[in-house]
Amino acid sequence: MAKYFPVLKHFNTPNAITTLGLVFGIFTCYFLTQRDLRMAIICLFFAGVMDLVDGFVAAKLNQQSKFGQSLDTLVDFFTCCIIPVWMVHDMLSDLPLYPLIVAAMIFYVMCGLWRLALYNITGGGKSFTGLPVPGAMMLITIVIWCVVMYNITLWVAAIAFLAVGLLMISGIQLPKYGIWQKVMGFSGLAFLGVVIFS
């Protein structure tokens, strides 16, 4: 089969998990078109989980590859950079100061793009340089939820986009699979519980 479809030679468990993350991202977009923020966030959460799991599985099965890294980067850009911007547009575009949010979102996406490009050439080390985009996506999603559900001022969202963008391109060193990831994971689970039961 790979003779006729060469890309299939890269099919393995971690790349399948990465692709499943893309599927969850597509479902996120669908629920955003229905203006169902709760279901969109739930799907986006599982897209983030797939991003965490694929790297772990690739390391455990010794199936790390340049193809898998590139695939992961492309999916991350879609789910962690583009979808939060779409979420803001769908949920907050009728609020005042929207042009300010647009400027902050553009900055966030550019920082995410540069962060991922840097990861593609330095991702083999024992630590991340700058905040990884899945963590950035989670922080931004929490802010969007709070603005929509609790009427927090839109200035907070703008500042959050700018601050998280700067964290992504900063020089901070975060060890892979360190305590910070456990904190982010538990925070994500807690936030998911709030979304589901609120």
Side-chain angles (χ1 to χ4, degrees):
M1 199 64 159
K3 177 181 179 181
Y4 301 103
F5 302 98
V7 73
L8 292 181
K9 69 182 180 181
H10 298 288
F11 182 83
N12 56 28
T13 301
N15 290 343
I17 294 171
T18 302
T19 305
L20 183 58
L22 174 66
V23 173
F24 278 116
I26 292 170
F27 275 108
T28 301
C29 295
Y30 168 75
F31 285 114
L32 285 175
T33 64
Q34 305 303 305
R35 300 189 69 82
D36 187 341
L37 183 60
R38 178 177 283 105
M39 285 303 301
I41 288 177
I42 291 171
C43 289
L44 192 57
F45 172 84
F46 283 107
V49 169
M50 295 302 104
D51 183 65
L52 291 175
V53 171
D54 62 1
F56 178 79
V57 171
K60 285 294 183 182
L61 298 180
N62 195 27
Q63 292 182 337
Q64 296 164 310
S65 66
K66 288 292 185 181
F67 179 89
Q69 183 173 317
S70 297
L71 183 67
D72 183 66
T73 298
L74 290 168
V75 173
D76 278 357
F77 184 69
F78 175 62
T79 57
C80 301
C81 298
I82 300 301
I83 288 181
V85 170
W86 187 347
M87 195 177 289
V88 169
H89 174 71
D90 270 16
M91 299 299 165
L92 307 180
S93 59
D94 56 344
L95 297 177
L97 297 178
Y98 187 66
L100 176 66
I101 291 293
V102 170
M105 288 189 304
I106 291 172
F107 180 76
Y108 169 84
V109 172
M110 289 192 306
C111 290
L113 177 66
W114 280 64
R115 168 69 183 78
L116 289 167
L118 179 65
Y119 176 75
N120 271 355
I121 62 173
T122 63
K126 295 183 178 180
S127 63
F128 296 110
T129 300
L131 178 67
V133 291
M137 176 265 289
M138 188 188 78
L139 294 174
I140 289 299
T141 304
I142 291 173
V143 170
I144 295 170
W145 175 263
C146 290
V147 170
V148 172
M149 299 301 293
Y150 308 120
N151 296 318
I152 292 177
T153 175
L154 211 56
W155 280 101
V156 173
I159 293 171
F161 270 106
L162 293 172
V164 172
L166 288 172
L167 284 173
M168 285 192 287
I169 61 172
S170 72
I172 60 172
Q173 297 293 310
L174 297 171
K176 291 184 177 180
Y177 312 114
I179 184 65
W180 71 274
Q181 285 188 319
K182 295 178 181 178
V183 171
M184 295 288 280
F186 284 122
S187 300
L189 284 172
F191 174 57
L192 181 65
V194 170
V195 170
I196 292 173
F197 296 109
S198 64

